[in-house]
C-alpha cells in the first residue's frame, strides 16, 4: 500500500451547473465536494474541469490543510493553545 501525500490530495467544494426553467443556465443550490489527487491546486482544478465540465468550484483545500486545522483545533480544545477560541451552541 502506498502512502498518501497530504500535499497532493485536494478537497474541492463546488456546485453543478444545471438547466433551469425556460432554458436558463444556473447553479444547483447544493454544495458538493470532490477529492482530486494532483501535483498542485491548479492542476487539481484543471483535471476536475476536464472530468466534470459542469462542476463549478467554490474553493479548495489540501489534505495537509485539513490535518493542520485538526491539530490546531485539538490543541485549542485541550487547552494547549490559545490560538483559537471555540464557541459551542
Amino acid at each position: 500500500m502506498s502512502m498518501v501525500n497530504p500535499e497532493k490530495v485536494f478537497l474541492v467544494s463546488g456546485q453543478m451547473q444545471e438547466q433551469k426553467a425556460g432554458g436558463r443556465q444556473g447553479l444547483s443550490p447544493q454544495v458538493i465536494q470532490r477529492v482530486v489527487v494532483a501535483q498542485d491546486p491548479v492542476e487539481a482544478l484543471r483535471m476536475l474541469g476536464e472530468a466534470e465540465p459542469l462542476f463549478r468550484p467554490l474553493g479548495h483545500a489540501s489534505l495537509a490543510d485539513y490535518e493542520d486545522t485538526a491539530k490546531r483545533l485539538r490543541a485549542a480544545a485541550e487547552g494547549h493553545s490559545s490560538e483559537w477560541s471555540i464557541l459551542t451552541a
Side-chain angles (χ1 to χ4, degrees), residues 8-89:
K8 295 183 180 185
V9 177
F10 299 91
L11 180 62
V12 183
S13 298
Q15 295 170 288
M16 296 300 289
Q17 182 176 336
E18 59 184 24
Q19 193 80 16
K20 299 285 187 178
R24 297 177 298 130
Q25 294 290 318
L27 294 175
S28 166
Q30 180 182 13
V31 174
I32 56 176
Q33 297 180 331
R34 298 290 188 255
V35 175
V36 183
V37 177
Q39 292 298 314
D40 58 53
V42 172
E43 182 184 8
L45 294 175
R46 182 189 59 75
M47 290 172 54
L48 186 54
E50 290 174 2
E52 294 191 54
L54 298 180
F55 184 84
R56 299 296 177 255
L58 296 171
H60 60 80
S62 71
L63 180 56
D65 294 332
Y66 277 92
E67 289 174 342
D68 182 58
T69 299
K71 183 176 79 177
R72 291 175 175 196
L73 180 58
R74 279 188 209 96
E78 295 169 356
H80 303 297
S81 172
S82 60
E83 180 180 10
W84 290 355
S85 60
I86 300 173
L87 301 175
T88 56

